[in-house]
Each structure stands twice: as structure tokens, then as C-alpha cells.
Amino acid sequence: MSEVALVCKLSEVAAEKRTALAVALTSYLPRTLEALESGLIDEYAASRVFDATACLPEELARQVDSLLVGRFDVRNASALRRIVNSIIMRIDPDGYEERRQRRIEARRLELRHGDHGSSSLFADLPAEQAQAIYAACDRDAMALKLKGDPRTMDQLRVDCFVARCLGGSGDGKARAEIFVYVDINTLLGLRDGPAELGGYGDISAAMAREIAFKVDSTWRRIVTDPITGLPCDEGRRTYRAPRAVRRHAHLRHRTCCMPGCNRPAQFTDLDHATPWREGGGTDKVNLRPLCRVHHLLRNEPGWTFTTDDNGRLVVTTPSGRTYTEEAPMDIALPGWHSAIRCGEPPAAARPADSDAA
């Protein structure tokens, strides 16, 4: 390994990682190697597949690799790793749950000192806790920004995080939320279908139930039209979407619709696909979540945002390239629920809460 490090001009740790990746690609990840050699993915994306499968026996890793055929052409390496993790959870549910419990036991907080008087804190903790902490700081930051605070949102999130940790107040009173999407049979333990943690990706049924049944969790559902199965909308009556329609957009799209963006939908703007001033309605068909950055990007010269026949966002860049969002989830199925864990316990017991227009 020392010789590899010298030849490649790498540290021994980096050389060991490169060597392990090469061994994996040439032994039990042949489809990933083919995708790399054909230019479908780069070395970093291949390393993400390797990292996600390194915990598996070679036989299972090979099975995951074979199931990736036709799925390498995704928007980025992070999306590819989420696909790999989703496959692993489905073909090895017991092993996934064991590894999840081990990662919880191995949780830690690490301090790394940097240059120019700065340091970084790294917390390795359960995904739902990380999401809730970020959501709380984001809400605090947004509350200050709306009051005219001149700091950037990044600066505000960090300052609010520090205030929370050190006993101060970020002055944000909105309750932090994370969204877990799960069907009712899985929620009740009648089956073990996968669930999804908004902004993170697929999680196991056991993890979804743990979040849903915590004392500080509430459940919400969409009240839908008995004929169409979709929530009532406001058409052209109002620019702002009613609560049920907003919730539908969040549940259906899960994240910002911009290809490659994973910001949870509840922290985005609702964009009218056909602008309101051009006759677009405030309804379940015309509304889609876009984070503030990509909402503003829509109006930049050279960028075109359109909708295809399947209701998916198609983005054309100034160079003429097009990117299409992943297909939205169909939530109009009977029994589809969203379990929502809040960062603060509710004032009373938590019966099922309904959103109506």
C-alpha cells in the first residue's frame, strides 16, 4: 500500500480506499464498473456505490450491483447512493435494521479545528434527529430573516444553532417538523413496506414506526374529494394555496422539484407552473415546490421551466441541456398517510389531525 501511495501521489489512507474500490469493481461490482467505463458515472459515483455496499457480504453486494442496471443514469452521485440504500433495505431488511441499530450505538460528536480561527462540528446521529435539528435552526433563521435581519441564511442557521446549544434564543417560534411518508398498513405493523424520510430517502418500516409513535409525534392526513381522491383546490379564487392543497404538494413531490435538489418540500416555496398572472390556477395540478434558490432561478435569462405530459418539471439550461425531475409520488391511494414528527411535543394527546380546505 505504501508503494501505491507513492506511485499515485496519495496518502496511504487514500491509496487504501482507491485500492479497495478497484478490487470491488473488478470482483463483485461488475455492472458498476461497466457504467464507469462507459461514462455513465464517474469515479466518485462508483465510490458511492462501493461505500454503500461495503457492509454487505459479496453475494449480496453482487445482487445489489445487478439491480442497478438501467438506474445509473441519475441526476448525481447522491441520488445513486440513495437508490443503492433503497435496494439494500429491500433485499436485506434484517441486516439493514441491525446496521441501523449499530450506527445509533456508535453516535458521536466530533470537533475538528481549522484555519483562521474556525472549527467544524460533526455529529454522527440518527437521520431523523439530524433532520429535526436542521429544521429547527432553519425555522429560527427564517423568522429572523423575515424581521429584516441582514445576515445570510447560512449565517443565521449557524448563529441559531449556537444560540440553541448555548442556551440562547434564536427567536424562531415556529415548530420544527420532519416528514415521514408511510402507508397505513406499514404504520400499523401489518406489513413492513419501506417508508421515506423527507429530504433523506427510504428508511425501514421499523424506523418509521419508531418516529411515528414517539410522544412528540403527530399524524396528519389529507382530506380528499370522495370521487377524485384528490384534495379540493381553489382554482383561480386565490393566489395563496389553502392548507390542504399545500400539504398535497408537499406529500406528492417530497422535495424541491429541481432535478438534483433534495431540500424537503415543506421548506420550499410553492411555484405556479403556469404563472398566476398568466391565468395559472392555485390547484393541485399547477402547484409544485421549488426552494427559494431555484424559484428565483426560474426568472434568470436563459433558464426555462416547463411541465411535461406527466406533470414533471423539465428544466432547460442556458446551454440548451434539459433535465427532468423524478416522477412525483401518487398519494391519492386509499390509506396513504404522512406521519409527522415535530421538534416540540404537542400540547395535548395526538389524535389523527385532518387538513381540510
Side-chain angles (χ1 to χ4, degrees):
M1 200 57 62
S2 296
E3 185 175 358
V4 172
L6 290 171
V7 171
C8 297
K9 298 180 180 180
L10 299 170
S11 68
E12 291 202 12
V13 172
E16 186 174 355
K17 289 182 178 179
R18 291 283 291 274
T19 301
L21 173 61
V23 170
L25 292 173
T26 54
S27 54
Y28 59 86
L29 297 177
R31 303 304 182 190
T32 304
L33 178 60
E34 290 175 5
L36 176 62
E37 292 176 333
S38 66
L40 273 177
I41 60 174
D42 58 16
E43 184 178 331
Y44 176 68
S47 72
R48 299 291 278 176
V49 176
F50 167 64
D51 290 342
T53 56
C55 60
L56 302 175
E58 285 194 14
E59 180 181 351
L60 279 179
R62 187 183 296 274
Q63 185 178 350
V64 173
D65 180 69
S66 67
L67 292 172
L68 286 173
V69 174
R71 308 185 72 177
F72 286 106
D73 191 14
V74 293
R75 54 198 184 190
N76 54 39
S78 296
L80 179 59
R81 178 155 186 170
R82 283 195 297 275
I83 290 173
V84 174
N85 282 324
S86 181
I87 293 173
I88 291 173
M89 187 171 60
R90 284 163 171 78
I91 68 173
D92 184 30
D94 293 338
Y96 180 94
E97 190 60 26
E98 290 175 6
R99 291 187 293 273
R100 184 175 75 88
Q101 293 297 335
R102 288 200 300 269
R103 289 299 298 268
I104 292 175
E105 293 173 0
R107 60 192 180 277
R108 63 175 183 164
L109 182 67
E110 183 179 347
L111 173 64
R112 299 180 190 174
H113 293 298
D115 299 324
H116 312 296
S118 66
S119 297
S120 299
L121 278 173
F122 294 88
D124 194 339
L125 69 165
E128 75 276 12
Q129 294 180 4
Q131 291 280 93
I133 291 170
Y134 182 89
C137 294
D138 186 74
R139 291 291 179 88
D140 287 353
M142 182 59 69
L144 292 171
K145 196 68 175 177
L146 291 174
K147 293 179 179 180
D149 196 298
R151 289 172 288 179
T152 67
M153 282 297 292
D154 281 336
Q155 292 170 342
L156 284 166
R157 289 188 195 100
V158 171
D159 293 346
C160 290
F161 174 73
V162 172
R164 282 177 170 267
C165 289
L166 299 182
S169 173
D171 200 28
K173 300 187 182 302
R175 187 172 57 186
E177 295 179 328
I178 63 168
F179 283 57
V180 175
Y181 306 93
V182 57
D183 67 83
I184 190 64
N185 289 331
T186 295
L187 188 65
L188 297 179
L190 302 178
R191 64 188 293 264
D192 282 330
E196 181 182 338
L197 175 61
Y200 174 80
D202 286 351
I203 59 175
S204 66
M207 183 175 176
R209 286 191 288 265
E210 284 180 14
I211 297 171
F213 288 103
K214 285 184 176 179
V215 295
D216 58 351
S217 295
T218 60
W219 299 354
R220 291 184 181 152
R221 62 184 173 86
I222 296 291
V223 175
T224 58
D225 183 280
I227 298 176
T228 66
L230 295 172
C232 299
D233 59 61
E234 289 296 304
R236 289 282 299 171
R237 290 172 53 191
T238 178
Y239 178 80
R240 288 183 57 83
R243 186 170 58 174
V245 177
R246 288 200 313 271
R247 188 77 65 189
H248 174 269
H250 294 162
L251 292 174
R252 182 168 186 253
H253 293 274
R254 312 293 177 85
T255 64
C256 170
C257 288
M258 180 73 175
C261 183
N262 297 314
R263 186 165 180 80
Q266 65 268 29
F267 303 137
T268 63
D269 300 335
L270 277 187
D271 173 56
H272 287 72
T274 299
W276 170 264
R277 63 180 178 274
E278 297 176 12
T282 301
D283 55 53
K284 52 193 170 287
V285 175
N286 196 47
L287 292 176
R288 61 192 175 201
L290 285 176
C291 71
R292 182 59 55 85
V293 171
H294 295 128
H295 199 178
L296 296 175
L297 182 67
R298 178 179 180 177
N299 298 317
E300 290 295 316
W303 289 86
T304 304
F305 285 45
T306 57
T307 305
D308 67 11
D309 293 338
N310 296 315
R312 297 178 300 176
L313 172 64
V314 179
V315 178
T316 304
T317 69
S319 65
R321 300 190 180 202
T322 61
Y323 300 88
T324 304
E325 75 163 309
E326 295 178 358
M329 290 293 297
D330 181 4
I331 65 157
L333 299 174
W336 186 267
H337 279 65
S338 165
I340 305 172
R341 183 193 173 202
C342 302
E344 299 174 5
R350 48 175 183 80
D353 179 29
S354 301
D355 281 335

